[in-house]
Amino acid sequence: MKTKIDVIVVGLGAAGGVIATELARGGRKVVALEKGAFYRQSDFLTKFDEIRYYCRSAIVPHMKTDPITWRPNERTKAEILPWASNTLGLGNPFQIPPSMGTGGGTLNWGGAAFRFREADFKMKSTIMERFSSDALPAYTSLEDWPIDYSMMEPYYDRVEWEMGVSGKAGNVGNKKLEGGNPFESPRMREYPMPPIQRGAVDEIFCTTVKRMGYHPFPTPTAIATTEYKGRNACTNCGFCHGFPCHVGAKLSTHDMIKAAVEETGNLEVRPFARVFRINKHTDGSVKGVSYYDADGKVIDLEAGVVILACYALENARLLLTSGINGNGHVGKHLILHNYGWFNGVLPEITNSFMGSLQGGSIIDDYTSELIPDNDEGVLWGSPINTWTGDFQPIETIHGLPPHVPKWGKGFKDWMSQNFRRLFRMYSQHSTLPSMQHYVDLDPVVRDSFGQPALRITHEWTDYDAKSVEYFMRIKREIAKEMGMEETWEDSPTPNYHVTVHDVGTHRMGLDPKTSVTDPFGQVHECKGLYAVGGGQFISQPSYNPTEMIFALAYLTSDHLLDRV
């Protein structure tokens, strides 16, 4: 007798991991299809291998098997991501889509867990009220969100307490607390765990920026600093971003998924399943999906609810390959982050290879609507983040100052003198959504299963460069005050166009003519089909998107379980 399936979940990363486990625990029969492996924690006990995870991209997509193409504009022929193309088809995990396998991007993320600010949900109206409607570039399709902070605050709280986030609150119930972010929107309670261990250079940074009038606070991080709900406390190993966690301290949905499979009997995970089509009934409602199993056999699976919970780019590709794009907005409004990397060498030992990259503090004085009036026309601000640890040697070599050779005595001398004294600052500048920056299906390039590759059309604008340069000047001032002996910067128009923070490709909205999903993620065009995750974003604030993706996944789960 065939078991009735209530829900199919495609992709088991941040969004899919939450939704699959919530629905299974709520009594729904769920089959989850994952392109990668079904991981157990024991798979990561010997993860201290930069060659495996960074150089050979062990758990992230390869351009030979999962090609993506890019072009700066419609006049140019697209090519497979040039910044990630080499003999093996590999790339920096920061500049290609995140991990495959249960846990998805939560396997190799750095763990930064930010709430959006109240103003981030109404970026367009805030800019227009302050700078006038003429201030926005003519090309942008920016809109306000159909949801707001007050609606999402309980879900942020749920992420932080149910999943486990460490940090220091700065505003509980509109009461300002010492040591936290004085600019954050009000929250109902403190974080469940204290901040992660501070990096060696954090005190120098904090002392310096306080002297300059800024207000540093510890980065909120989804890494356990005490034993928390079965997760071990962080050991400060220094292998976080780009690596799974060997002790399970870093939040990853692969653990949640495994527990739900074992405890509920309602969740079946089918690994190495490559979904290639969403199927519909004659009335236009969702029927199920078709996928290739591990042996390459085509399997048709049916359910009344199908949830696309992949990365924003892959969700868009599946909608497009299935012909679900009646209003022309699928793939449009692509939004990226430009990090504005700033590197330096300090006189003091920083032990930059130790601890999490989130072991530093950040300043929010100029974030979002707090951007000062300026002549450059920068409309939205950014935090200035610090990177105090988690510098692996091979990754460091790829980011050396331009004058340092990559081999020989000069290289050895520089590394031996400076590797233990490194420090990095960065900001996160969001591109403004538009119809001219988008993803669609490449007409030529296909993967090994014959499916069309995704094609990215994107180029950094003059506005993007101005935003990066505005904050680069602040970083230079901080570096000078800190006494840095040597500094070097990334270009304000870098050569990469995937940032692991790519969002907006199936934006939410109330009008089916101008949006792809409703606020709960249901696709307007296809009843029973949901597309959940960063692709729903209307705008991309300057914070990391993952906590918002978790929060949206809880919102969708509650909607499907009739809890809203």
Side-chain angles (χ1 to χ4, degrees):
M1 181 177 177
K2 189 175 181 180
T3 302
K4 182 181 183 297
I5 301 170
D6 297 317
V7 182
I8 299 168
V9 176
V10 182
L12 284 173
V18 169
I19 294 171
T21 57
E22 286 292 301
L23 296 186
R25 293 189 183 280
R28 303 296 194 271
K29 292 292 184 181
V30 181
V31 171
L33 305 174
E34 168 53 52
K35 186 186 290 187
F38 187 172
Y39 288 116
R40 269 62 170 183
Q41 186 57 37
S42 57
D43 294 323
F44 308 130
L45 295 179
T46 55
K47 61 91 182 235
F48 302 97
D49 188 342
E50 195 180 3
I51 292 176
R52 169 174 166 75
Y53 288 104
Y54 180 79
C55 298
R56 294 177 180 164
S57 304
I59 58 176
V60 296
H62 292 196
M63 290 302 103
K64 286 186 176 295
T65 57
D66 293 270
I68 298 173
T69 65
W70 166 81
R71 58 182 182 172
N73 53 59
E74 294 178 347
R75 302 183 303 277
T76 306
K77 182 181 178 181
E79 56 183 320
I80 294 177
L81 304 187
W83 58 90
S85 294
N86 50 46
T87 304
L88 297 176
L90 309 177
N92 183 335
F94 251 133
Q95 298 166 9
I96 52 180
S99 302
M100 298 188 296
T102 52
T106 65
L107 288 172
N108 65 343
W109 69 317
F114 290 92
R115 297 176 171 210
F116 291 177
R117 299 169 54 77
E118 289 173 291
D120 290 328
F121 291 93
K122 47 184 180 179
M123 184 186 294
K124 180 180 181 180
S125 59
T126 301
I127 290 172
M128 291 175 63
E129 289 168 10
R130 180 174 175 190
F131 297 108
S132 85
S133 57
D134 295 336
L136 284 166
Y139 65 78
T140 186
S141 57
L142 180 66
E143 296 292 343
D144 290 345
W145 291 57
I147 57 178
D148 60 18
Y149 181 84
S150 64
M151 178 178 178
M152 296 309 298
E153 200 281 336
Y155 290 100
Y156 290 143
D157 182 81
R158 190 166 166 186
V159 172
E160 291 160 2
W161 280 84
E162 289 192 16
M163 304 184 80
V165 175
S166 63
K168 180 69 185 79
N171 182 352
V172 175
N174 285 313
K175 180 181 179 181
K176 298 298 177 69
L177 301 181
E178 187 69 27
N181 179 6
F183 305 106
E184 73 175 351
S185 297
R187 57 175 61 241
M188 67 175 69
R189 53 180 167 171
E190 178 61 90
Y191 287 97
M193 291 176 283
I196 198 166
Q197 184 172 326
R198 304 290 83 201
V201 70
D202 188 56
E203 185 176 351
I204 300 170
F205 173 80
C206 289
T207 301
T208 300
V209 296
K210 284 178 182 177
R211 188 170 65 245
M212 298 173 71
Y214 298 115
H215 303 80
F217 63 95
T219 307
T221 309
I223 296 176
T225 55
T226 60
E227 289 190 14
Y228 193 81
K229 294 190 175 183
R231 282 163 55 198
N232 296 311
C234 177
T235 61
N236 219 37
C237 73
F239 284 78
C240 284
H241 84 284
F243 296 84
C245 183
H246 72 298
V247 297
K250 182 172 68 174
L251 171 62
S252 171
T253 59
H254 80 273
D255 255 351
M256 299 166 50
I257 294 160
K258 177 175 176 290
V261 168
E262 294 173 349
E263 295 169 10
T264 69
N266 290 330
L267 175 58
E268 177 191 350
V269 175
R270 299 185 185 179
F272 306 112
R274 302 177 69 96
V275 175
F276 64 89
R277 186 175 62 240
I278 302 152
N279 301 316
K280 296 186 292 183
H281 291 290
T282 54
D283 65 0
S285 63
V286 76
K287 181 179 181 181
V289 302
S290 297
Y291 70 93
Y292 296 104
D293 69 7
D295 298 319
K297 181 182 177 182
V298 174
I299 305 293
D300 295 323
L301 197 63
E302 295 186 7
V305 174
V306 173
I307 298 167
L308 304 183
C310 308
Y311 194 59
L313 304 182
E314 181 67 5
N315 270 1
R317 189 180 76 86
L318 287 172
L319 290 168
L320 291 169
T321 57
S322 304
I324 300 174
N325 187 24
N327 64 9
H329 283 271
V330 173
K332 297 298 195 291
H333 319 290
L334 174 66
I335 314 170
L336 280 64
H337 265 158
N338 189 328
Y339 295 109
W341 299 111
F342 184 98
N343 305 278
V345 177
L346 282 162
E348 299 87 356
I349 296 294
T350 63
N351 285 336
S352 50
F353 55 90
M354 294 176 61
S356 166
L357 76 156
Q358 314 297 359
S361 296
I362 60 180
I363 54 176
D364 241 359
D365 297 67
Y366 294 165
T367 296
S368 302
E369 83 285 6
L370 302 178
I371 182 75
D373 292 337
N374 60 88
D375 295 331
E376 290 86 346
V378 179
L379 305 174
W380 210 249
S382 168
I384 293 180
N385 306 268
T386 60
W387 192 310
T388 60
D390 206 0
F391 281 78
Q392 283 84 46
I394 298 175
E395 182 182 22
T396 299
I397 291 166
H398 288 164
L400 292 176
H403 69 86
V404 178
K406 297 293 179 68
W407 59 279
K409 185 177 185 300
F411 163 71
K412 293 178 182 178
D413 288 347
W414 193 92
M415 284 292 286
S416 63
Q417 293 166 12
N418 298 309
F419 181 60
R420 294 181 64 200
R421 300 189 294 130
L422 297 175
F423 177 59
R424 174 180 289 169
M425 292 181 283
Y426 63 102
S427 39
Q428 295 186 155
H429 304 279
S430 299
T431 58
L432 295 171
S434 73
M435 296 291 279
Q436 70 187 38
H437 295 149
Y438 59 89
V439 298
D440 63 357
L441 301 177
D442 193 290
V444 177
V445 179
R446 293 180 176 265
D447 65 20
S448 56
F449 291 87
Q451 298 301 302
L454 194 76
R455 178 174 62 180
I456 298 170
T457 301
H458 174 267
E459 185 59 291
W460 305 108
T461 67
D462 291 341
Y463 175 79
D464 298 331
K466 285 191 299 185
S467 298
V468 173
E469 178 57 27
Y470 180 92
F471 278 82
M472 201 67 83
R473 288 199 296 271
I474 301 172
K475 295 170 209 166
R476 291 176 197 138
E477 294 170 359
I478 295 171
K480 182 178 179 181
E481 288 292 321
M482 291 179 72
M484 286 191 184
E485 296 177 346
E486 181 179 6
T487 63
W488 62 102
E489 306 168 4
D490 199 2
S491 166
T493 54
N495 65 355
Y496 55 81
H497 299 268
V498 174
T499 67
V500 302
H501 290 179
D502 316 305
V503 299
T505 54
H506 49 88
R507 63 173 13 178
M508 70 166 75
L510 302 179
D511 186 350
K513 295 179 181 178
T514 58
S515 60
V516 178
T517 80
D518 67 16
F520 301 110
Q522 184 162 212
V523 176
H524 295 303
E525 188 177 333
C526 183
K527 184 180 179 182
L529 176 64
Y530 290 74
V532 183
Q536 291 177 269
F537 287 20
I538 304 293
S539 59
Q540 168 72 309
S542 47
Y543 297 119
N544 303 56
T546 310
E547 181 161 338
M548 185 63 186
I549 292 171
F550 283 139
L552 288 173
Y554 275 124
L555 176 67
T556 297
S557 301
D558 280 359
H559 167 72
L560 289 167
L561 293 170
D562 298 320
R563 293 174 178 163
V564 177

